[in-house]
Amino acid sequence: MTQTTFPFPRRSPMRLTFAFGLLVIGVFALVPAVGVLVISFTDIRGLPYLPVNWIGFQNYISFFSAAHLDYNLNAMRNTLVYAIVSTVVQIALALGIAVLFNQKLKGRTVYRAIVFMPTVLGVTVIGLVWSLIFNPSAGPAATIWGWFGVSPAFFGDQHMALGLVIFVQIWSSIGISIVIFLAGLQGIPEDLYESADIDGASGWQKLRLVTVPMLAPSITATVLLGIVSSLQSYQLAYVLTGPNNSATQLLSLAIFSQGFGGSSSSGTAQSQGYAASISMVQFVIVGVIALAVLAYLRKKEARL
Amino acid sequence: MTRLAAEAPTVATPGEERVASETKLAHRRRPLRPSTVTNYVLVAVVMVLYLFPLLFLLNTALKSNAAFSANPIGIVTNPDFGNFATAWSKGNFGAYIVNSVVYTGFAALIGTFVSVVLGFPVSRRYLRGSRIWTVFFVILLFLPNAIITQFQLLLRLGLYDTQIGYILIMAAAVGVGPILIAGFVRSLPVELDEAASLDGVGYWRYLFTFVVPLARPAIATVFILQAIGVWNDIILATILLPDSAKSPVTLGLFAFQGTYTSQWGLLAAATMIVAAPLVVAYVFLQRYLVGGVVGGAVKG
């Protein structure tokens, strides 16, 4: 059953608007996406009218060559830490906060609205607000750290920067997860909790045995989309620490700085073919992780 | 409006009185509820984490340079609005906000339109190979980062550094849009299509005057999710719109930060100028925004 009877008098209007939709997506999303693979085998540059040569696997060889390996492994490691930590912590916290907001509290729509607010503020406002809080010379965070006798450089500290970017990332995007979980929680029938009460279940048991299983589908979707988008996100790292900070160098940022001259240290700066090969490496990592996570969560969901 | 204004102060002080009255009530109804107090304490912690940064931003913005260097974190005693005047005259933020609103509005509108015209016929299986199209929608979620080729494409189409080029790139990032629309349309009865066509309604009129109003929750979700993506973009704007007059507000504020590094009072005022209209708009729209994020996903 691939096709049902078409009730309307003419098919041409449907075909026309469908084709329009395909055209927009095809030209501006699909062609560039496939193009990444193609140009990763060339030495295309940022300036137009320069000759473009087919160079085979040279960019990939260069990606894993001694000159770039440290830089790229560092970016890969940061990307994985960033994606996994920010997704896992965000889901766990969002679940906890959603359960909290779902209690019979006064003004809970206001709380929900407030945690969602960073979404409209935009990355730059968020970046500036937290740069101000974590201003090493005169911010409130410096004062708090000062009570313990330390004065770190925060975003300038190699050991703290990635953790802080992850913190700000969770702060700014947890609202969406909370809203999704809250909607799911409101769909759980009240009598499930009542019968759990009769059976003498503790609060923790109710969470583990009623709430989480009932939310499983929305948790699966949120985890999967969270991992995929955080593996590719770079806006906050860019705003908070710039494109060339090795502590927060993510693969997406590497694509940007290698492809658009954000980096001057690299010999192949401005080689967009090379940047495209980073894109493809990232694509493979995202695909492998997404499939693994999906398989794992599906199995867990089936068992619940 | 008055409702929201009345609610605002209670947000800032989720502390004593409300907890007190709540425990009193709880005592009357059920004998002992220490958990209610714990809940309010936890809520207060979360609220502080979200409201303190914004209040601190305002506090910093109201300090003159001298007041800031004297005591950078103290509460402002005599507010100085000079930073706002300077930031406004140097920052050009009005134009940036207008740019952002235009890009976000058009890109999300085109993207949502595309999601509807693709999602509806595929969901109804009115096309050959509907299964393949469904797979295609999922593939769209997992495309590689294409900033390099999007730049090259616009360069070669003569759309580099044009608003229309940027809007089209952002519009094509439909994400889960077609999937959400297709999922929601499944909950609308097929008989409706047949009944409408018997009454002589054509495909377009049916799609835009029957399906679109009925699928409003899903359409709102698709529009909002895409708008969030466009609104928060800074990298593609950096790459595709080098002319600073065309910058969205993310980029405009970022450039301002680069120019006035460490002048925190001025930077905070600039950030307030950008954030204030958003917060005010959000206070009025939050109901639709927050509700809209899940509205279409529930049935889908």
Side-chain angles (χ1 to χ4, degrees):
Chain A
M1 199 182 92
T2 51
Q3 209 175 350
T4 35
T5 23
F6 188 71
F8 298 99
R10 285 177 304 124
R11 278 176 188 274
S12 49
M14 175 180 72
R15 292 201 176 116
L16 197 66
T17 44
F18 194 80
F20 171 79
L22 279 188
L23 186 76
V24 172
I25 290 187
V27 172
F28 294 99
L30 216 56
V31 165
V34 176
V36 173
L37 178 64
V38 176
I39 70 162
S40 73
F41 296 109
T42 70
D43 65 350
I44 194 164
R45 278 164 195 277
L47 295 167
Y49 318 119
L50 288 176
V52 177
N53 301 304
W54 191 263
I55 57 168
F57 283 92
Q58 200 52 53
N59 288 322
Y60 293 91
I61 293 166
S62 160
F63 182 91
F64 291 104
S65 72
H68 296 288
L69 196 61
D70 280 350
Y71 176 90
N72 289 324
L73 281 181
N74 175 51
M76 274 196 242
R77 193 175 49 234
N78 286 341
T79 305
L80 288 180
V81 170
Y82 181 82
I84 292 167
V85 174
S86 65
T87 310
V88 170
V89 175
Q90 174 166 328
I91 300 295
L93 276 179
L95 193 59
I97 295 175
V99 169
L100 177 67
F101 286 2
N102 200 41
Q103 308 295 314
K104 290 181 181 62
L105 302 174
K106 273 187 195 159
R108 60 187 192 184
T109 51
V110 179
Y111 309 144
R112 191 183 67 165
I114 286 174
V115 293
F116 191 83
M117 189 171 55
T119 310
V120 296
L121 293 179
V123 277
T124 319
V125 169
I126 293 167
L128 263 159
V129 166
W130 285 102
S131 302
L132 185 64
I133 301 278
F134 287 115
N135 174 11
S137 54
T143 312
I144 295 173
W145 260 262
W147 294 339
F148 302 99
V150 281
S151 49
F154 296 108
F155 290 114
D157 184 321
Q158 292 291 300
H159 302 290
M160 283 182 88
L162 188 63
L164 290 178
V165 174
I166 291 174
F167 167 77
V168 177
Q169 169 71 41
I170 293 172
W171 183 85
S172 57
S173 59
I174 198 171
I176 299 181
S177 311
I178 292 175
V179 168
I180 291 172
F181 286 155
L182 267 174
L185 284 174
Q186 273 146 21
I188 300 178
E190 192 62 34
D191 39 331
L192 281 181
Y193 290 105
E194 279 162 19
S195 39
D197 278 332
I198 293 168
D199 292 342
S202 69
W204 171 251
Q205 283 173 319
K206 275 187 276 183
L207 179 69
R208 204 168 59 86
L209 300 170
V210 180
T211 310
V212 171
M214 290 299 289
L215 280 182
S218 45
I219 293 178
T220 307
T222 319
V223 169
L224 190 65
L225 290 176
I227 292 254
V228 169
S229 70
S230 58
L231 280 169
Q232 307 189 24
S233 86
Y234 47 1
Q235 321 266 20
L236 264 178
Y238 176 69
V239 170
L240 288 166
T241 56
N244 295 311
N245 187 323
S246 72
T248 55
Q249 188 69 64
L250 304 172
L251 281 172
S252 309
L253 272 182
I255 300 167
F256 174 74
S257 55
Q258 296 294 323
F260 296 96
S263 163
S264 49
S265 59
S266 166
T268 50
Q270 299 282 13
S271 167
Q272 300 202 325
Y274 177 68
S277 75
I278 306 178
S279 228
M280 289 314 296
V281 172
Q282 182 195 32
F283 174 64
V284 170
I285 294 175
V286 171
V288 168
I289 291 179
L291 288 177
V293 169
L294 187 63
Y296 174 75
L297 289 172
R298 280 262 184 270
K299 215 168 73 188
K300 265 211 115 117
E301 223 179 282
R303 225 185 311 144
L304 284 169
Chain B
M1 352 261 105
T2 45
R3 185 187 64 80
L4 288 156
E7 269 173 10
T10 61
V11 178
T13 56
E16 318 77 25
E17 329 98 67
R18 265 160 13 102
V19 174
S21 69
E22 192 70 16
T23 40
K24 240 183 272 159
L25 271 177
H27 271 292
R28 225 172 290 150
R29 270 187 313 218
R30 282 173 229 172
L32 192 73
R33 287 304 300 269
S35 63
T36 313
V37 182
T38 322
N39 285 342
Y40 276 107
V41 171
L42 289 173
V43 167
V45 170
V46 175
M47 289 303 106
V48 166
L49 263 173
Y50 277 83
L51 294 175
F52 173 74
L54 293 181
L55 294 175
F56 185 74
L57 180 74
L58 179 63
N59 191 48
T60 310
L62 292 173
K63 281 180 184 172
S64 64
N65 273 336
F68 183 81
S69 39
N71 183 0
I73 60 166
I75 293 169
V76 74
T77 41
N78 48 341
D80 178 304
F81 291 90
N83 287 325
F84 285 93
T86 317
W88 181 257
S89 67
K90 288 184 178 167
N92 203 19
F93 294 111
Y96 293 142
I97 290 176
V98 170
N99 285 345
S100 269
V101 169
V102 169
Y103 300 152
T104 304
F106 278 105
L109 201 66
I110 298 171
T112 310
F113 179 82
V114 166
S115 296
V116 169
V117 297
L118 292 181
F120 174 74
V122 168
S123 174
R124 282 289 197 252
R125 299 167 186 275
Y126 286 156
L127 287 149
R128 233 163 291 150
S130 287
R131 279 196 69 97
I132 296 166
W133 289 118
T134 312
V135 174
F136 170 73
F137 293 163
V138 177
I139 290 174
L140 284 181
L141 291 177
F142 298 96
L143 295 180
N145 177 320
I147 55 174
I148 305 286
T149 32
Q150 284 169 329
F151 162 79
Q152 291 284 351
L153 178 78
L154 291 198
L155 206 58
R156 273 145 226 265
L157 291 178
L159 290 172
Y160 176 63
D161 202 14
T162 63
Q163 283 107 328
I164 183 83
Y166 178 67
I167 288 173
L168 285 169
I169 290 282
M170 298 315 284
V174 290
V176 290
I179 299 176
L180 282 184
I181 299 287
F184 195 91
V185 164
R186 226 166 286 141
S187 72
L188 304 177
V190 189
E191 290 76 18
L192 197 62
D193 298 23
E194 287 149 13
S197 73
L198 280 180
D199 286 345
V201 175
Y203 176 81
W204 281 350
R205 214 180 113 204
Y206 179 68
L207 183 59
F208 295 115
T209 59
F210 288 74
V211 176
V212 166
L214 286 172
R216 210 162 40 203
I219 288 174
T221 305
V222 170
F223 182 88
I224 290 166
L225 288 178
Q226 188 153 5
I228 290 172
V230 184
W231 188 261
N232 281 293
D233 172 64
I234 182 168
I235 304 272
L236 276 167
T238 308
I239 296 168
L240 302 176
L241 295 171
D243 177 3
S244 66
K246 295 173 191 144
S247 290
V249 72
T250 45
L251 193 52
L253 185 60
F254 189 63
F256 190 87
Q257 183 188 11
T259 315
Y260 300 98
T261 337
S262 301
Q263 296 192 34
W264 288 107
L266 186 62
L267 285 178
T271 313
M272 281 304 299
I273 290 173
V274 173
L278 303 181
V279 171
V280 171
Y282 180 65
V283 166
F284 293 114
L285 295 176
Q286 54 90 9
R287 190 171 274 243
Y288 307 99
L289 273 173
V290 176
V293 165
V294 282
V298 176
K299 277 189 178 174

